[in-house]
Amino acid sequence: MSNETSAADQLPFHQRKTEDMPGHWLLARLGKRVLRPGGLELTESLLDDAGIDGADVLEIAPGLGKTATAILERSPRSYVGVDDDPNAVELTKGAIGGRGRVLPGDASSTGLDDESADVAIGEAMLTMQSDRNKAKIVQEAFRVLRPGGRYAIHELAINPDTLPDEEKTEIRKSLARSIKVNARPLTEAEWRKLLTDAGFEVTKVRFAKMALLEPRRVIADEGLGGALKFVANVLRDGDARKRVLAMRSTFTKYKSHMAAIEVIATKPGKSA
Ligand SMILES: C[S@@+](CC[C@H](N)C(=O)[O-])C[C@H]1O[C@@H](n2cnc3c(N)ncnc32)[C@H](O)[C@@H]1O
């Protein structure tokens, strides 16, 4: 128990009250470690498609450092993570154990050199930004990548592209209310436009079910033991249970209009 308490104390936003805590950090406190809409499976295809072997890799917003370890298993030439939360920086440093660098910084101005990376990876972070910040972060990824470099994102999509604006707004507002983060998922066409406006060519798009809190996905992502621990923690804590059920019911209500999306966007030009 004391180990669990001290691990929870290292999480971002750990001092916030349960009712106000950003949904992903609340889930992390309860033991859910995979915090992306398409789960580990979409992360695996994202990393396969990005081409990590021998590459200089930038991970934008590594969070708990889970993807960082998966990246390192694929033999990159180098790894650097940039997260604006000091706790996330320390957690990722702990996860990678000296096999790369983790820097505090904003994704829209990383301080890294122009054309210093072959791959930039960002999961479950652009969705939570305003339109203006999304554009700035994508431009920063473009600047840092070498020609031929790949920007690989795993985010939340709304579908179909033709969904009326009022319905998109309703979904965004409902999500923001339940996860307590200003979530602004985009349609596939809007994700593509965001990337091509910055100069990228979209070279691959894949979808997966948005099933973050569905039992089968929780077991696939956390393992049976981790899933049971998560459920026990949810059952033990009434305030947290209320929040998790509210998030789950929002995801269920809009499930026919939400999906996890992977996009690989390539910076034009020949790789050296
Ligand atoms: C939901 S977590 C996702 C973490 C990780 N990518 C994953 O999929 O497990 C979002 C992460 O984005 C980071 N973040 C949000 N906005 C950021 C920004 N503008 N610059 C750098 N990091 C940011 C947060 O600190 C957090 O670690």
Side-chain angles (χ1 to χ4, degrees):
M1 181 69 195
S2 62
N3 275 349
E4 272 179 31
T5 308
S6 60
D9 285 350
Q10 290 163 11
L11 289 170
F13 290 83
H14 64 272
Q15 281 141 330
R16 281 267 180 103
K17 286 200 281 190
T18 298
E19 56 265 41
D20 304 322
M21 199 181 256
H24 48 287
W25 295 133
L26 176 66
L27 294 176
R29 195 187 86 195
L30 295 166
K32 175 111 190 57
R33 296 294 151 136
V34 175
L35 302 169
R36 307 134 225 169
L40 280 185
E41 205 178 322
L42 197 63
T43 294
E44 289 297 319
S45 35
L46 184 82
L47 299 185
D48 285 345
D49 294 337
I52 306 277
D53 195 351
D56 290 316
V57 178
L58 160 65
E59 187 181 6
I60 302 167
L64 303 175
K66 263 236 57 104
T67 296
T69 55
I71 291 170
L72 287 164
E73 279 162 18
R74 288 162 193 261
S75 315
R77 181 161 57 196
S78 66
Y79 171 91
V80 57
V82 175
D83 201 294
D84 69 353
D85 187 291
N87 293 80
V89 169
E90 289 311 311
L91 286 162
T92 304
K93 276 187 185 166
I96 67 169
R99 290 175 293 162
R101 294 184 298 149
V102 190
L103 309 172
D106 195 280
S108 61
S109 58
T110 59
L112 299 174
D113 289 343
D114 287 1
E115 303 191 357
S116 55
D118 304 299
V119 175
I121 301 208
E123 296 183 289
M125 67 84 58
L126 278 178
T127 298
M128 298 190 284
Q129 313 287 329
S130 65
D131 289 348
R132 199 159 159 259
N133 280 349
K134 281 185 176 76
K136 282 200 203 159
I137 292 169
V138 173
Q139 282 156 16
E140 176 69 355
F142 190 86
R143 182 187 71 75
V144 169
L145 283 168
R146 300 188 177 108
R150 286 84 60 202
Y151 182 28
I153 65 168
H154 171 174
E155 294 289 342
L156 190 58
I158 294 184
N159 58 51
D161 284 338
T162 51
L163 199 70
D165 282 344
E166 315 80 76
E167 288 186 54
K168 290 194 249 181
T169 303
E170 183 194 319
I171 294 173
R172 288 169 181 149
K173 281 194 173 154
S174 261
L175 273 175
R177 259 198 309 274
S178 77
I179 65 176
K180 314 278 180 198
V181 174
N182 195 15
R184 286 192 49 79
L186 302 180
T187 62
E188 177 188 352
E190 290 166 343
W191 282 118
R192 281 177 178 271
K193 182 171 183 323
L194 176 73
L195 292 155
T196 52
D197 280 356
F200 284 107
E201 284 167 9
V202 171
T203 41
K204 178 147 234 144
V205 175
R206 291 182 197 255
F207 291 96
K209 224 170 122 183
M210 157 58 182
L212 189 68
L213 292 177
E214 288 185 16
R216 206 183 294 173
R217 172 70 69 72
V218 176
I219 293 169
D221 283 352
E222 311 298 335
L224 186 58
L228 290 173
K229 231 189 217 170
F230 171 64
V231 171
N233 287 337
V234 172
L235 292 176
R236 199 179 295 143
D237 179 338
D239 290 340
R241 188 164 65 243
K242 231 193 261 169
R243 288 282 319 273
V244 173
L245 290 177
M247 285 190 259
R248 189 155 188 268
S249 87
T250 306
F251 299 160
T252 306
K253 180 168 177 193
Y254 297 109
K255 81 174 178 202
S256 60
H257 291 306
M258 287 200 301
I261 187 169
E262 163 193 326
V263 185
I264 307 288
T266 302
K267 180 165 173 170
K270 266 220 172 87
S271 37

